[in-house]
Amino acid sequence: MTGAELVLKVLQQHGVKHIFGYPGGAIMPIYDALYDSDVQHFLCRHEQGAAFSAIGYARSTGKVGVCMATSGPGATNLVTGLADAMMDSVPVVAITGQVFSSLIGTDAFQEMDVLGMSLSITKHSFLVQSLDELADVLHQAFELAQSGRPGPVLVDIPKDIQIGSVDFEPYPINDKKFPAIDQDAVTAARDLIGAAKKPLFYIGGGVGLADAIDELQDVLEYSQIPAISTLKALGTVPGDYAYNLGFVGMHGNQAANLAVQECDLLICTGARFDDRVTGKLDTFAPNAKVIHLDIDPAEISKLRTADVAILGDFKQILPQLKVAPHTPEWLERVGGLITEFAWRYDYPGENIYAPKLLNQLSKALPEDHVVSCDVGQHQMWVAQHMLFSSPRNHLSSGGAGTMGFGLPSAIGAQVARPDATSVVVSGDGSFMMNVQELGTIKRFSLPVKIVLLDNQRLGMVKQWQELFFEERYSETNLSDNPDFITLAKAFDIPAISISKADEIDQAVEQFVQSKGPILLHVQIDDKDNVWPLVPPGKANHDMIEGN
Amino acid sequence: MTHTINLIAQSRPETMERVLRVVRHRGFALNAVEMKNCDKNNTVNIQLTVSGERPISNLEHQLKKLYDVTELELNSALSQSAVAMNA
Ligand SMILES: Cc1ncc(C[n+]2csc(CCOP(=O)(O)OP(=O)(O)O)c2C)c(N)n1
Ligand SMILES: [Mg+2]
């Protein structure tokens, strides 16, 4: 068979059924092999869309997402998506066509140093050197993308290797390997938890990535230790857990931010002390000892020194950390904070209050749903006000904060979970960044549902200009937005537009009931901001409340 | 603070680039570098002297994370037997 056929064979061996991509000269042999393969290809309308769809596919299922592009500009268009996957530890395999090996280094047409470009934005990358190593490299790519801390892996395949002929040999798929757990560290951690008066779990995306949600929930229930969640962890701690403090950080809930400042033991579980979580780092959880659980040794003591660190598989570690509940006063305090700072939805006037709308929509969605969002104020409102029963149901660009993530990510999730309701919550700025993917929705008749929160502003930047740049609104006014209803129509997507609170009930109903794709255009006040907020460089207990 | 790092890695055309990129990006200056091909297992031995204010353990972990890096020692020569085994 040809190298191109081998590529598809190996993908199938790894269970790949769907690929997102865009063809071009240097990857034509693979597209030719795809023509009569069982693997289904989704033509996106920009390679960045393909990369984000692969991410949505991966994040909504835990499987590897695959994207594909041609050499040169095709590959450069993948770069932002791969960087996003890198920051959020998403298992993605990207396959790029490269010019003939003999032409590499000659500035040939569409020849770019993709391997060079990939170094800082992938977990690993390969430029296939010979047909002999092609299968092996692809197997390594799939193993690497999923092993340890997951991440994107790029395989750049020169055209001569795609057209060369080669034999296919089946390959045993290896089970994941984990480091042995340091039992002394487990004992030390148990001692710390037993001695703590105010212990707190700080949950990150790692718990979902390790597929250890049940194990975590079990420890929480048994030990009655309160928990705070990062953006990527939302959905990990059950919503009805009595000591679920929720979202922590810059736009987190006050209860979570105050509890973390008061705790005397922080059990960091698959999180990484990101600055959007900690605020001013040296003021974060100032009285706490730290237990750090992770699969990636590089995260331990990177930003905050750990008193005890345990490396390994959370499925094995977490069950060993069950300690009898012993902190009734702390639990009472936490319960009080949760009640005191519960989100409120009273909003004066007739206009639409986006947090309330999102909360209402969230409750109206069928059980099996995925919400993808873009980046900005609307993203924070989604995190604050929508309810998630799994981190696989909340896809948000965390580490990279990439506008344009939402729509293609929702497409990937819809392909991966055809029975689920896939919803995008986007902003008028972000939506335009990958708006071409409406073409993908149309082409594959995907029932993706879109909520567009239109404040005619790059709202999050505007908010910072208002608060920290003396209301000098430089380049954030989008009052010349296109007519989004007409735009949707051009792609056969029905659309409704609302601007008053009394229109919400009917619109939400219509939106949820719709069988196919739909756009709900929501006009909101450009002055609405995201509260509370920890100003940059401030401590988490110095949150400000506006409006 | 100056540190010496001695590592063994799979030899790929870009191995050195990967190592140097991590050194720079993680906040260290490169003072000296030497690379030798070990012809048996298709590996290379790289010795780096770096300086920087940040904790060296961060750089150590990031370098170990590189898929191609198989062994790494900080502030000490790799045991002669390890180098010999790979030579
Ligand atoms: C690709 C990219 N460019 C720029 C930014 C900086 N940025 C963050 S939020 C934001 C505004 C987003 O506007 P919109 O999508 O309308 O959301 P809103 O904040 O108004 O809800 C910008 C420009 C970014 N995060 N990503
Ligand atoms: Mg906006």
Side-chain angles (χ1 to χ4, degrees), chain A residues 387-519:
Chain A
L387 312 163
F388 300 102
S389 58
S390 162
R392 287 185 183 164
N393 297 347
H394 172 235
L395 314 184
S396 191
S397 173
T402 315
M403 290 171 70
F405 175 91
L407 185 59
S409 161
I411 289 172
Q414 187 71 80
V415 169
R417 288 167 52 182
D419 297 331
T421 300
S422 180
V423 176
V424 194
V425 178
S426 191
D428 48 322
S430 299
F431 189 62
M432 293 294 284
M433 281 223 181
N434 272 318
V435 72
Q436 79 286 343
E437 295 308 312
L438 292 176
T440 314
I441 291 183
K442 176 166 183 279
R443 184 181 180 93
F444 297 97
S445 305
L446 298 169
V448 170
K449 296 175 159 53
I450 306 160
V451 179
L452 182 55
L453 293 178
D454 184 357
N455 51 10
Q456 305 201 355
R457 294 293 182 280
L458 295 173
M460 186 56 96
V461 180
K462 180 228 67 179
Q463 177 167 349
W464 281 47
Q465 289 171 335
E466 182 182 332
L467 298 172
F468 313 120
F469 289 86
E470 297 165 357
E471 300 184 41
R472 289 158 56 84
Y473 297 116
S474 178
E475 300 296 330
T476 49
N477 188 317
L478 298 185
S479 50
D480 56 349
N481 271 328
D483 174 353
F484 290 112
I485 306 295
T486 308
L487 185 62
K489 277 213 184 103
F491 293 90
D492 290 346
I493 298 172
I496 28 181
S497 187
I498 57 173
S499 59
K500 294 278 169 277
D502 60 13
E503 297 170 303
I504 291 178
D505 290 354
Q506 206 204 328
V508 165
E509 167 88 9
Q510 194 181 339
F511 183 81
V512 173
Q513 295 303 328
S514 125
K515 293 270 177 286
I518 184 167
L519 176 99

Side-chain angles (χ1 to χ4, degrees), chain A residues 119-120 125 133 140 296, chain B residues 12 18 21 62 65 67:
Chain A
L119 297 181
S120 62
S125 49
E133 70 168 27
Q140 286 181 65
D296 180 2
Chain B
R12 300 281 300 185
R18 288 188 193 278
R21 191 198 76 77
Q62 293 296 342
K65 245 167 91 155
Y67 179 56

Side-chain angles (χ1 to χ4, degrees), chain A residues 166-379:
Chain A
V166 64
D167 290 330
F168 173 72
E169 280 162 37
Y171 171 94
I173 309 268
N174 298 322
D175 284 341
K176 284 190 191 174
K177 287 188 218 77
F178 293 105
I181 287 160
D182 175 354
Q183 289 303 323
D184 292 343
V186 169
T187 307
R190 291 182 60 92
D191 289 349
L192 280 183
I193 298 171
K197 294 200 167 55
K198 301 174 180 178
L200 183 66
F201 265 102
Y202 158 32
I203 313 293
V207 176
L209 289 172
D211 204 11
I213 294 178
D214 289 348
E215 286 78 1
L216 177 83
Q217 293 187 351
D218 211 35
V219 184
L220 294 179
E221 281 301 335
Y222 182 91
S223 307
Q224 298 285 291
I225 296 177
I228 55 173
S229 296
T230 67
L231 183 74
K232 277 192 64 204
L234 296 173
T236 307
V237 179
D240 60 1
Y241 176 56
Y243 307 108
N244 176 17
L245 285 149
F247 188 32
V248 67
M250 182 174 271
H251 290 293
N253 188 289
Q254 295 254 40
N257 280 333
L258 291 176
V260 76
Q261 296 303 82
E262 286 175 31
C263 77
D264 66 356
L265 176 67
L266 196 59
I267 311 164
C268 173
T269 311
R272 57 185 179 84
F273 295 92
D274 181 78
D275 55 273
R276 284 297 188 268
V277 163
T278 62
K280 193 167 185 293
L281 184 63
D282 57 13
T283 64
F284 181 67
N287 309 313
K289 291 210 152 99
V290 172
I291 298 174
H292 200 152
L293 317 177
D294 213 293
I295 188 72
D296 180 2
E299 287 305 334
I300 308 296
S301 301
K302 181 180 82 176
L303 290 163
R304 171 79 177 244
T305 306
D307 296 278
V308 174
I310 312 178
L311 287 168
D313 178 15
F314 286 172
K315 275 176 129 43
Q316 298 170 49
I317 297 172
L318 287 169
Q320 300 188 54
L321 297 184
K322 287 179 169 179
V323 170
H326 59 280
T327 61
E329 281 166 30
W330 172 234
L331 293 180
E332 202 180 305
R333 165 75 180 144
V334 166
L337 284 171
I338 291 173
T339 315
E340 183 180 350
F341 294 105
W343 298 116
R344 292 177 54 173
Y345 298 103
D346 33 346
Y347 179 79
E350 298 166 0
N351 291 345
I352 294 175
Y353 182 48
K356 183 162 186 238
L357 170 95
L358 291 174
N359 187 256
Q360 182 173 339
L361 172 65
S362 189
K363 290 173 177 160
L365 287 172
E367 174 85 12
D368 187 12
H369 67 258
V370 188
V371 176
S372 303
C373 63
D374 263 297
V375 172
Q377 295 180 309
H378 64 280
Q379 176 191 31

